[in-house]
Amino acid sequence: MSIKNTFTIWFGKLLVKVMKLLGKGAGNAPGLILWTLNKNCLKAFKVECPIIAVTGTNGKTSVTNYLSHIFASNKGKIITNTQGNNLDTGICSLLLANCDMKGRVKADYLVLETDESHVPVIYSQLKLETLVLLNFFRDQLDRNGEVETLILKVKKFLETFEGNVVLNADDPNVARLGKANPNNKNIFYFSVERYSGATDEPYEVGEGKFCPFCGTELVYDYYQYSHVGRFHCPKCHFGEDKPFTLIKNVDLSAPSFEADGETFKTAHNSIYYMYNLAAVYTASKLYDFDKATLHDTFEHFEVNNGRLETFNITGSELMVNLAKNPVGANMTLRVMNEQAGEKELLFVLNDNLADGHDVSWIWDINFSIFRDVTRVVTSGTRAYDIAIRIKCSGYDPDKIVVRPDLDDAMDELFKNTGRKFAIANYTAVQPTRAAIKRCKERREKNG
Ligand SMILES: [Zn+2]
């Protein structure tokens, strides 16, 4: 090990110790400091096990949690950032906390949720074995710039990458990356066959409708959600690759899906989740995980971090979903619509640094699809903005209640019983979960 690398690791380990002594926990600070001092610090770590990275706009955290659960099933040691610390500095902190004084990271697998824009810089320093790419949508424009810029960044990385690439064949923004390196034979597409809620016409405002290779308009057989669906280019035949995994017979009422001739029951009933599971299934297959583990995981495993998480409060069921972009929000509205009967919606919108101060993305959410929504409560630092947005969609303003304080919002929401849904953006999701738990305690105490 070079002197510089030795120093990097020693200094990093010292930072971890100092933070602990200060009672601050290690957290993200050691990685942040180390990264600021040395942008090549990840090279100082010695990782000998396979690294699996998960990236894409929506679903990264869930897929990373699922894969870690499966990869840990045969008593393997997994190092993972399941809490979504997915930037270069977060991954640096994670490795610092898990390495010895020589920088050796001992594990059977590293499963790393990785921010799309950080894929090239992190994996030019750490040897990646498998990259799982879920989807590309407009997200947090302040930080990432246009989605095309992001795709091109990942594409540039893939041009020289020879490891496994697991790709969503039904998202043209992702599928195109399968051709980034014509010499890479380890390209594994997954696709999901048409489900009952698919449409012939696009359901929402979407991106990626033109062929990235020849500019011809893509022809869709159907849209599953947003711009995700079965497509092909009539001119250059982009989109006609045979998938490695084909998910069939998606049944949201069971809920279940079929893969390689077997039916898998699932814990969640949205098409959005079926795509996440298709990615999990494909990556697990590359590592030969047994079917029994997959059955058990898909049916029972819960991520419980505000991703389609369900709470029960005094006779009411509330489903919470994180949405940091129009596609995520539209997806939740769609899950809501697919449930028969009356329901109420809570929308919590913050505009903190990590959310991006620009909340204009809420204007791309399709609220006109509301079905049997009897009341909307809005909360968060931008509670009024989201209320105005919903009002402008034509929804009856008398049914909108604005409660910027989250505890007030919960009391309002649970004034009556029934089915409820909550959408919260990035920095709102954990406070929302905490407020739900506080509300539950208050109500149980008051009997
Ligand atoms: Zn084409």
Side-chain angles (χ1 to χ4, degrees):
M1 191 154 80
S2 75
I3 291 175
K4 191 176 179 187
N5 285 347
T6 308
F7 177 74
T8 299
I9 297 295
W10 285 19
F11 183 68
K13 293 299 266 186
L14 182 69
L15 282 172
V16 174
K17 281 222 164 66
V18 170
M19 297 287 169
K20 273 190 185 146
L21 283 174
L22 292 173
K24 293 188 187 304
N28 208 18
L32 181 64
I33 297 168
L34 208 59
W35 187 266
T36 310
L37 294 173
N38 175 6
K39 297 269 182 287
N40 285 312
C41 61
L42 290 174
K43 284 185 182 160
F45 296 98
K46 285 199 229 24
V47 183
E48 269 153 28
C49 68
I51 301 179
I52 297 98
V54 181
T55 196
T57 313
N58 290 340
K60 292 189 280 289
T61 306
S62 295
V63 170
T64 303
N65 276 271
Y66 269 88
L67 285 175
S68 304
H69 182 81
I70 291 167
F71 280 41
S73 64
N74 47 13
K75 302 206 171 16
K77 186 186 175 203
I78 309 301
I79 294 173
T80 181
N81 53 348
T82 44
Q83 297 306 316
N85 234 339
N86 64 16
L87 308 181
D88 39 29
T89 53
I91 287 171
C92 183
S93 296
L94 180 78
L95 297 183
L96 263 183
N98 287 285
C99 74
D100 64 13
M101 291 307 282
K102 290 187 170 166
R104 287 180 301 211
V105 179
K106 287 256 167 64
D108 293 297
Y109 299 99
L110 258 61
V111 184
L112 302 176
E113 171 181 341
T114 310
D115 184 87
E116 305 87 279
S117 62
H118 289 249
V119 166
V121 61
I122 295 171
Y123 302 111
S124 62
Q125 299 185 37
L126 293 174
K127 193 181 179 301
L128 182 65
E129 185 167 283
T130 300
L131 180 67
V132 180
L133 259 160
L134 302 173
N135 47 56
F136 280 110
F137 301 113
R138 263 188 63 196
D139 181 27
Q140 300 175 337
L141 295 180
D142 299 7
R143 184 165 56 84
N144 290 331
E146 292 294 327
V147 69
E148 182 67 17
T149 312
L150 208 53
I151 298 169
L152 292 177
K153 254 189 183 179
V154 178
K155 177 173 173 273
K156 187 138 189 13
F157 168 75
L158 288 176
E159 280 167 4
T160 53
F161 181 65
E162 293 186 344
N164 301 322
V165 191
V166 173
L167 297 163
N168 182 350
D170 300 345
D171 178 349
N173 287 343
V174 170
R176 61 190 275 196
L177 297 175
K179 303 188 189 304
N181 179 1
N183 296 321
N184 189 353
K185 301 287 174 254
N186 306 308
I187 304 294
F188 304 93
Y189 290 104
F190 61 87
S191 176
V192 179
E193 277 193 345
R194 185 176 188 136
Y195 91 112
S196 60
T199 53
D200 293 333
E201 298 299 322
Y203 190 84
E204 300 127 2
V205 192
E207 304 103 0
K209 293 194 194 70
F210 290 89
C211 176
F213 300 103
C214 71
T216 308
E217 191 171 356
L218 296 176
V219 176
Y220 273 78
D221 297 339
Y222 55 85
Y223 293 83
Q224 306 272 43
Y225 72 94
S226 189
H227 65 251
V228 174
R230 191 75 235 125
F231 69 88
H232 72 276
C233 170
K235 195 170 164 196
C236 74
H237 305 291
F238 166 51
E240 292 179 3
D241 292 286
K242 196 176 173 307
F244 174 71
T245 303
L246 182 60
I247 300 295
K248 298 178 178 179
N249 295 320
V250 167
D251 179 353
L252 296 188
S253 61
S256 65
F257 68 82
E258 192 188 306
D260 295 324
E262 266 183 63
T263 299
F264 291 84
K265 285 188 184 152
T266 66
H268 290 284
N269 63 347
S270 79
I271 186 66
Y272 171 75
Y273 234 84
M274 296 298 173
Y275 271 91
N276 286 346
L277 296 183
V280 173
Y281 181 88
T282 307
S284 305
K285 204 166 138 181
L286 295 182
Y287 290 89
D288 289 327
F289 278 91
D290 67 279
K291 292 279 169 68
T293 305
L294 296 183
H295 277 287
D296 187 54
T297 306
F298 293 163
E299 190 174 353
H300 303 293
F301 182 64
E302 291 280 355
V303 176
N304 284 343
N305 62 354
R307 272 79 172 174
L308 296 170
E309 184 178 1
T310 305
F311 295 87
N312 286 296
I313 300 185
T314 51
S316 295
E317 191 180 276
L318 168 67
M319 180 189 269
V320 181
N321 197 24
L322 164 82
K324 45 193 172 128
N325 47 46
V327 176
N330 284 332
M331 214 38 244
T332 314
L333 295 181
R334 195 158 168 180
V335 172
M336 185 174 87
N337 268 348
E338 283 170 352
Q339 306 284 334
E342 294 186 341
K343 48 250 174 187
E344 295 176 310
L345 174 70
L346 167 70
F347 203 121
V348 190
L349 182 67
N350 280 350
D351 64 349
N352 296 320
L353 183 64
D355 300 308
H357 296 309
D358 177 4
V359 295
S360 63
W361 62 273
I362 60 174
W363 292 88
D364 288 333
I365 305 173
N366 188 5
F367 288 103
S368 62
I369 60 162
F370 268 2
R371 215 170 59 196
D372 302 325
V373 178
T374 53
R375 201 164 58 116
V376 176
V377 179
T378 69
S379 189
T381 56
R382 299 297 284 266
Y384 287 93
D385 296 70
I386 188 67
I388 289 166
R389 168 66 193 98
I390 294 170
K391 181 181 166 229
C392 289
S393 71
Y395 188 73
D396 182 353
D398 292 339
K399 294 181 182 169
I400 305 176
V401 186
V402 182
R403 293 283 181 270
D405 179 81
L406 264 171
D407 288 318
D408 295 346
M410 290 305 161
D411 286 337
E412 184 66 41
L413 186 67
F414 288 100
K415 240 171 31 186
N416 38 21
T417 52
R419 204 175 243 288
K420 296 165 202 301
F421 290 82
I423 296 177
N425 73 332
Y426 195 63
T427 68
V429 73
Q430 295 313 331
T432 299
R433 295 177 73 238
I436 293 167
K437 287 172 187 165
R438 284 197 299 274
C439 178
K440 192 177 163 97
E441 279 168 19
R442 277 199 302 279
R443 299 185 73 91
E444 282 169 358
K445 209 185 279 171
N446 299 333

